[in-house]
Amino acid sequence: MSFLKTVFGDANSRVVGALQDRVDEINALEERIEKLTSEEIRARVKEIREKINGSREALDEFLPEVFAMVRSSSRRTLGQRHFDVQLMGGMMLHEGKIVEMRTGEGKTLVATLAASLNALTGRGVHVVTVNDYLARRDAVWMGEIYHFLGLSVGCMNHDVSYLYDPYFKEGSEEDKTRDELGSFRVVHEFLKPCSRPDAYGADITYGTNNEYGFDWLRDNLVLSPQDLRQGEHSFAIVDEVDSILIDEARTPLIISAPDEEAEDLYRIFSSIAPKLEKDRDYTIDEKMRAALITDEGISKIEKMLGVSDIYTERGVRYVRHMEQALRAQTLFQRDRHYVVKNGEVIIVDEFTGRLMPGRRWSDGLHQAIEAKENVAIQKESRTLATITFQNYFRLYKKLSGMTGTAFTSSEEFHKVYNRDVVSIPTHRPMIRTDHKDKIYQSEHGKFTAIAREVKERNEKGQPVLLGTVSIEKNEKLSEYLKRAGVPHNVLNAKNHEQEAEITAQAGRLGAVTLATNIAGRGVDIILGGTPPKPEEAEKIQSLGGLLVIGTERHEARRIDNQLRGRSGRQGDPGESQFFLSLEDDLMRIFAPERIKNLMGKFGIPEDEPIEASMVSRAIEQAQAKIEGLHFDSRKHLLDYDDVMSKQRTAVYRMRREMLEADDAAVDAKAREMLEDFARKLAAVASGEGNTDELKKILRSILGHEEKVLIPLENIDLPEEVRSFLEAEYELRRGKSKEDFLRNARILFLQIIDMMWRDHLEVMEYTRSSVGLRAYGQRDPLIEYKNEAFRLFKTFNENLANMFIQNLFKINVGAQMPVRHQQMVTNEGRRVADRIMKKADGEKVGRNDPCPCGAKTADGRPKKYKHCHGKT
């Protein structure tokens, strides 16, 4: 292992060493660039843009000059000159690498180099941040550089979009004061509200991963080209790339619409859950976050509900409700996994500690928690569109990222995103002292020792930053500090609006800041605070710099390293120390029993630590085990979503082509589908041996109440079906060609949306059911792929059939309704299914699940004989 590390390290050094020639070239241009006026620089940037003319290949030729101009712009506007190592980082971002740079090395400034260069193609650059505040801050802070170069900057937040405008909303001098970091006290200053398309239309756009992903999904639901937002996926720079592409990648993005569901069920099962006895009525698997009901538990629940057999009388749906109620009761804790704010349950991101408004747990779990907390229960939703972060960011032709901790996940970056990790050296040597872990028998003993340690350091004036894994632990430790008489600031998801201000002052003399993981990302801590006081900073350095105390090991080593990285920036002194206990979740769930019994054997007091190599090894093994579980979880999610990705790409391409098609293209597509439909219809009549069935179907298509323009009695031969339908199409289109084709486009979009929504449900059901096939020694993933292929073939056939049979019902006198529930009649589904099955020759068993994906009232797949088999 050490040999491989040595080789890998050498390889990284060779990559970095090869960049030095380019750095020298940029430095050689500096004197000439500094002599240029701002107008001359802006004119030169415009000239280079014209020469590049949209070509990505031409960018390398102009890299040294553009980087030199960006550096000059930064020095003139922000007073910050890019270091040589930052130029190296910018080159690696431009090449589509994952760049590892230590905290405090100026990653935000590094991004301006690659963003400015790639913006000259005119294709737009997306810079991805972890929250709305940082998107605004960076757009304003870096906006000065871009504006100096003549480049436009957009910014997207959850509820509003902006364009950077240095002349917008000029306030008082105090409002415009900028600290050394370049962070404006009022981060809305110079951000002018605009439309979403305008924000995306800027040369460089800042926003969060959620907003980019959701906007793409929304773009694939619009009914008019004017409603499109995002445009091309050319180049993305992802800040805190490990958090966004790895930590958050286990949860897919989902756009959904409310579906009818009985609220009473959640209330009923929420009241039952506390009455059940753990390990008797149900078991809990904390590693997998699962609750399983025992046979004894089922009997007890049946008695409470007054039913003899919950499975036959109420269906599997009731068991699912019960399991989710138990999960909500036992595995999801308030102020740790979620908070209740304004009568709403809001998820807390377990990796960053930040609130995630708009995100909801699936499969009824969120409703179960709402019932537990006795707040309004929102209706269950039907998925309209979904994508994983992995597959969303794979849409970009070029993708790069930066973080302080990437090498521990280099394998995943390479396997999933085909991106290599490059570590850039620090500008100044890192001299932080990382102390060995202190391990305590109990959490009470650990917190007592932490409060004692913090009090000692605080009395000397040394600033201390404490990191906790949850809001609950954050507030609990705050009580220990209060009892010890230690003044401190508390930062967690409940007061995240003050995040930057609190974190920026964490380097002040005598400051004690208690934070969740929220303090580990995005905001730099400068000794002496912001704005800095040199005398104060000097004294803090003599005391050892910022002390970072971790109160618990995190599930991923990267997050521990992120917390350590808040100290020791830019060659400053600093310390880090982790205080652990055998009651910590990581140790309690994953550590072996011999470790848990260790402290008692030594008879050590609760608040006295030990340093045991066996415990340290157990911690590392537990972290490696969890990282492995999470990697498997993400890989499992991706393996299945890759199957959906191919279908999603095909459907959305078909949808986008129709959305942006002109009248001629819509007409051609309709005729193409009409011809295919006529061929299948003729096959039906031919197979039947008579034309009665054919005429019956045609009457259904043309509408029972509508006057048939061409007499059906003339249709005697299957070969005449196409001519008949084409003539009928010409007559209807001729009434009002423009209106007819406009409504035909909307009809197609509505049908494809409805059918895709149904297809997603069927695929989700299929995914859950194929897992059982493993008992038959069959690979569930292979089975899923086979089923997916068959279902998608059916999807495409049904799409054409349903479009044509509804095409003749278009009312050209009015616009098509845009509500999805008014798209297609049940009769239309019946006809389309009948044509598809007879034309394909495929037989469906009477007791098989109906291919249309319909479900019974209790959530089970509806049998064919009770659904389309009735016809």
Side-chain angles (χ1 to χ4, degrees):
M1 187 69 179
S2 58
F3 171 74
L4 290 175
K5 282 184 177 178
T6 303
V7 172
F8 190 76
D10 287 343
N12 187 77
S13 300
R14 286 195 296 273
V15 170
V16 173
L19 299 174
Q20 189 60 50
D21 290 343
R22 269 273 158 112
V23 171
D24 293 341
E25 195 176 345
I26 296 166
N27 289 337
L29 293 169
E30 187 167 15
E31 186 177 349
R32 177 173 68 82
I33 298 295
E34 285 297 319
K35 292 178 181 177
L36 298 177
T37 65
S38 59
E39 291 79 12
E40 289 171 331
I41 287 180
R42 195 174 287 113
R44 179 56 182 160
V45 170
K46 185 179 179 182
E47 184 183 342
I48 292 174
R49 187 200 285 261
E50 291 170 354
K51 287 183 178 180
I52 289 172
N53 194 26
S55 170
R56 296 185 183 89
E57 292 72 24
L59 292 176
D60 288 343
E61 176 188 345
F62 296 100
L63 184 148
E65 187 178 3
V66 172
F67 274 34
M69 288 191 288
V70 173
R71 179 157 69 177
S72 178
S73 170
S74 177
R75 188 195 62 75
R76 298 186 200 195
T77 56
L78 302 181
Q80 297 181 348
R81 176 185 177 274
H82 292 78
F83 305 133
D84 286 359
V85 291
Q86 289 176 313
L87 297 177
M88 293 179 180
M91 292 179 213
M92 290 293 91
L93 288 177
H94 167 62
E95 290 186 16
K97 304 283 196 249
I98 303 297
V99 177
E100 180 179 86
M101 297 184 75
R102 298 270 183 154
T103 299
E105 291 296 306
K107 292 187 289 293
T108 306
L109 202 59
V110 169
T112 61
L113 296 161
S116 298
L117 177 64
N118 283 268
L120 299 184
T121 61
R123 299 175 186 276
V125 175
H126 296 171
V127 183
V128 187
T129 64
V130 293
N131 63 43
D132 282 348
Y133 167 79
L134 291 177
R136 295 196 307 272
R137 186 203 71 175
D138 292 353
V140 170
W141 180 15
M142 299 297 105
E144 290 195 71
I145 297 175
Y146 300 127
H147 179 73
F148 186 92
L149 297 169
L151 300 173
S152 57
V153 183
C155 174
M156 299 181 313
N157 276 188
H158 179 63
D159 51 354
V160 66
S161 303
Y162 305 97
L163 282 174
Y164 174 78
D165 183 350
Y167 308 108
F168 176 72
K169 196 183 173 185
E170 298 225 347
S172 66
E173 287 303 314
E174 182 181 357
D175 287 337
K176 292 186 288 181
T177 299
R178 181 170 20 84
D179 59 35
E180 187 184 351
L181 289 174
S183 308
F184 285 91
R185 294 177 190 231
V186 182
V187 293
H188 285 85
E189 194 76 14
F190 312 128
L191 289 178
K192 186 176 182 178
C194 68
S195 68
R196 210 64 151 187
D198 284 344
Y200 277 114
D203 293 314
I204 296 146
T205 305
Y206 284 83
T208 65
N209 50 321
N210 284 337
E211 292 308 308
Y212 284 117
F214 279 129
D215 278 346
W216 182 77
L217 290 175
R218 292 182 191 112
D219 274 356
N220 287 290
L221 291 171
V222 301
L223 296 174
S224 169
Q226 287 71 39
D227 295 329
L228 290 172
R229 300 166 177 80
Q230 201 160 81
E232 187 177 0
H233 294 84
S234 179
F235 179 41
I237 300 174
V238 183
D239 194 7
E240 305 299 353
V241 65
D242 53 334
S243 174
I244 290 173
L245 296 191
I246 293 180
D247 294 338
E248 294 194 38
R250 283 184 290 163
T251 306
L253 293 170
I254 298 172
I255 287 183
S256 55
D259 196 16
E260 293 303 319
E261 180 62 59
E263 178 181 324
D264 291 345
L265 285 178
Y266 292 107
R267 301 281 185 206
I268 291 169
F269 286 105
S270 182
S271 66
I272 290 176
K275 300 174 184 176
L276 301 180
E277 188 178 336
K278 185 182 176 184
D279 296 328
R280 183 175 181 178
D281 299 326
Y282 65 92
T283 59
I284 295 295
D285 186 336
E286 290 191 73
K287 294 180 185 180
M288 303 307 293
R289 285 193 182 177
L292 302 172
I293 307 172
T294 64
D295 290 342
E296 191 170 346
I298 290 291
S299 299
K300 185 179 287 188
I301 294 165
E302 288 172 342
K303 189 174 181 181
M304 291 180 187
L305 292 173
V307 299
S308 57
D309 188 336
I310 194 172
Y311 287 97
T312 57
E313 292 186 41
R314 302 296 183 183
V316 178
R317 173 180 167 205
Y318 270 38
V319 179
R320 179 179 73 90
H321 272 291
M322 191 66 252
E323 288 177 347
Q324 296 294 44
L326 285 170
R327 290 182 71 203
Q329 193 73 37
T330 59
L331 291 168
F332 289 81
Q333 300 171 22
R334 183 170 178 165
D335 290 341
R336 177 170 185 180
H337 300 102
Y338 63 90
V339 298
V340 178
K341 192 173 182 180
N342 300 325
E344 184 181 357
V345 172
I346 303 176
I347 298 173
V348 174
D349 188 299
E350 61 183 296
F351 295 102
T352 66
R354 292 188 171 93
L355 297 183
M356 303 172 73
R359 297 281 285 272
R360 290 177 65 82
W361 285 298
S362 58
D363 296 327
L365 174 60
H366 212 99
Q367 286 87 351
I369 293 174
E370 287 169 335
K372 167 190 167 184
E373 296 294 341
N374 200 29
V375 300
I377 298 175
Q378 296 187 27
K379 292 178 180 178
E380 283 204 56
S381 301
R382 294 191 69 186
T383 299
L384 301 180
T386 178
I387 193 171
T388 58
F389 278 126
Q390 293 102 320
N391 276 319
Y392 172 72
F393 282 106
R394 283 169 164 180
L395 295 172
Y396 286 90
K397 293 179 176 65
K398 184 162 68 174
L399 174 68
S400 63
M402 49 192 183
T403 180
T405 48
F407 258 113
T408 53
S409 303
S410 56
E411 180 187 0
E412 186 165 352
F413 280 125
H414 185 74
K415 284 185 176 179
V416 175
Y417 300 100
N418 195 26
R419 293 291 178 274
D420 294 326
V421 175
V422 176
S423 182
I424 303 296
T426 55
H427 177 58
R428 295 190 179 98
M430 206 275 290
I431 58 172
R432 184 186 67 233
T433 302
D434 296 329
H435 299 290
K436 289 184 178 179
D437 298 342
K438 289 184 177 180
I439 302 149
Y440 298 81
Q441 184 171 340
S442 68
E443 183 178 80
H444 169 70
K446 176 182 71 173
F447 282 173
T448 302
I450 289 173
R452 186 169 60 230
E453 179 77 21
V454 173
K455 186 175 178 65
E456 288 177 13
R457 302 294 187 117
N458 179 249
E459 287 172 349
K460 296 177 185 177
Q462 184 176 10
V464 181
L465 173 68
L466 299 105
T468 63
V469 297
S470 68
I471 300 171
E472 176 196 18
K473 297 291 175 67
N474 184 269
E475 294 177 342
K476 189 172 183 179
L477 180 54
S478 178
E479 292 301 319
Y480 279 82
L481 293 176
K482 285 176 185 175
R483 287 199 291 267
V486 179
H488 59 282
N489 287 314
V490 177
L491 174 62
N492 56 41
K494 289 184 175 179
N495 65 338
H496 66 94
E497 291 85 358
Q498 293 83 41
E499 172 187 350
E501 184 180 345
I502 294 173
T503 309
Q505 305 309 323
R508 287 249 186 241
L509 190 68
V512 176
T513 308
L514 176 56
T516 50
N517 295 343
I518 202 167
R521 301 280 185 180
V523 181
D524 219 356
I525 298 175
I526 297 177
L527 298 185
T530 301
K533 297 181 179 178
E535 324 81 48
E536 201 173 295
E538 193 174 325
K539 183 173 182 182
I540 293 170
Q541 287 179 344
S542 68
L543 292 171
L546 176 69
L547 168 64
V548 169
I549 292 179
T551 61
E552 201 168 323
R553 284 286 192 174
H554 298 79
E555 293 184 346
R557 289 166 291 176
R558 289 179 295 99
I559 301 176
D560 291 340
N561 293 335
Q562 279 282 350
L563 184 59
R564 289 189 195 275
R566 308 319 299 165
S567 177
R569 65 175 292 280
Q570 286 289 323
D572 285 340
E575 300 178 72
S576 73
Q577 172 88 69
F578 274 84
F579 285 68
L580 314 174
S581 86
L582 297 182
E583 291 180 351
D584 294 347
D585 286 349
L586 190 72
M587 298 298 291
R588 183 175 54 81
I589 298 172
F590 289 93
E593 285 299 322
R594 67 179 187 279
I595 299 296
K596 298 174 184 176
N597 298 329
L598 181 67
M599 302 293 273
K601 291 182 179 178
F602 288 137
I604 298 172
E606 274 189 311
D607 58 348
E608 290 294 323
I610 66 163
E611 291 182 6
S613 57
M614 182 169 66
V615 178
S616 297
R617 281 197 303 272
I619 292 169
E620 291 175 4
Q621 289 167 0
Q623 285 181 310
K625 190 183 296 182
I626 296 173
E627 286 173 4
L629 282 172
H630 288 172
F631 177 72
D632 290 343
S633 170
R634 289 188 293 269
K635 190 173 185 307
H636 182 76
L637 176 70
L638 187 60
D639 286 341
Y640 281 85
D641 193 61
D642 279 344
V643 179
M644 282 300 301
S645 180
K646 293 174 183 176
Q647 298 184 2
R648 184 190 301 116
T649 301
V651 169
Y652 286 167
R653 185 190 300 118
M654 195 185 335
R655 192 187 192 282
R656 180 63 67 91
E657 286 172 357
M658 181 61 83
L659 179 71
E660 297 178 340
D662 57 19
D663 285 353
V666 173
D667 188 41
K669 183 67 175 177
R671 290 176 184 278
E672 177 189 329
M673 298 176 83
L674 187 70
E675 183 176 345
D676 183 61
F677 180 81
R679 186 170 57 252
K680 292 177 183 174
L681 201 54
V684 171
S686 178
E688 296 283 336
N690 60 68
T691 59
D692 289 343
E693 177 72 4
L694 174 63
K695 292 176 181 178
K696 188 176 180 182
I697 293 174
L698 286 173
R699 284 195 177 91
S700 175
I701 292 169
L702 298 176
H704 296 290
E705 304 301 325
E706 188 172 346
K707 182 181 177 182
V708 178
L709 300 175
I710 299 175
L712 283 174
E713 288 71 23
N714 295 342
I715 305 299
D716 294 323
L717 297 173
E719 291 77 14
E720 297 174 1
V721 171
R722 176 182 164 186
S723 299
F724 170 78
L725 288 176
E726 283 189 348
E728 189 72 24
Y729 174 81
E730 288 288 353
L731 284 169
R732 290 166 187 265
R733 194 193 64 154
K735 288 181 179 180
S736 177
K737 181 178 178 181
E738 189 177 324
D739 287 348
F740 182 85
L741 293 175
R742 182 190 64 240
N743 287 335
R745 178 192 291 107
I746 295 175
L747 173 69
F748 181 87
L749 295 175
Q750 291 179 331
I751 288 176
I752 200 171
D753 288 346
M754 181 208 66
M755 293 189 62
W756 180 244
R757 182 189 66 199
D758 290 347
H759 183 71
L760 288 175
E761 286 191 359
V762 174
M763 290 292 286
E764 184 60 34
Y765 168 76
T766 303
R767 179 177 169 178
S768 61
S769 65
V770 294
L772 300 173
R773 302 187 191 183
Y775 294 108
Q777 305 301 310
R778 288 188 285 179
D779 185 338
L781 183 59
I782 299 296
E783 293 293 308
Y784 180 71
K785 288 179 179 178
N786 292 336
E787 290 293 318
F789 177 80
R790 182 185 66 79
L791 288 168
F792 195 56
K793 181 184 176 186
T794 301
F795 171 89
N796 282 309
E797 290 173 335
N798 272 333
L799 175 64
N801 296 340
M802 200 170 291
F803 172 66
I804 294 301
Q805 64 90 15
N806 278 274
L807 185 65
F808 291 103
K809 297 184 175 67
I810 287 179
N811 178 10
V812 296
Q815 287 205 1
M816 282 287 294
V818 296
R819 295 189 301 277
H820 286 260
Q821 57 265 43
Q822 293 184 0
M823 288 187 286
V824 180
T825 62
N826 288 332
E827 177 68 14
R829 285 188 188 229
R830 183 181 66 77
V831 172
D833 283 335
R834 186 173 359 141
I835 294 170
M836 184 274 293
K837 285 165 191 164
K838 291 190 176 183
D840 201 36
E842 184 179 334
K843 297 297 182 183
V844 181
R846 282 172 50 75
N847 291 309
D848 289 344
C850 189
C852 75
K855 295 180 180 178
T856 61
D858 59 7
R860 290 179 293 178
K862 189 176 277 189
K863 291 182 179 180
Y864 178 63
K865 67 183 180 183
H866 294 145
C867 191
H868 287 78
K870 282 182 178 178
T871 311

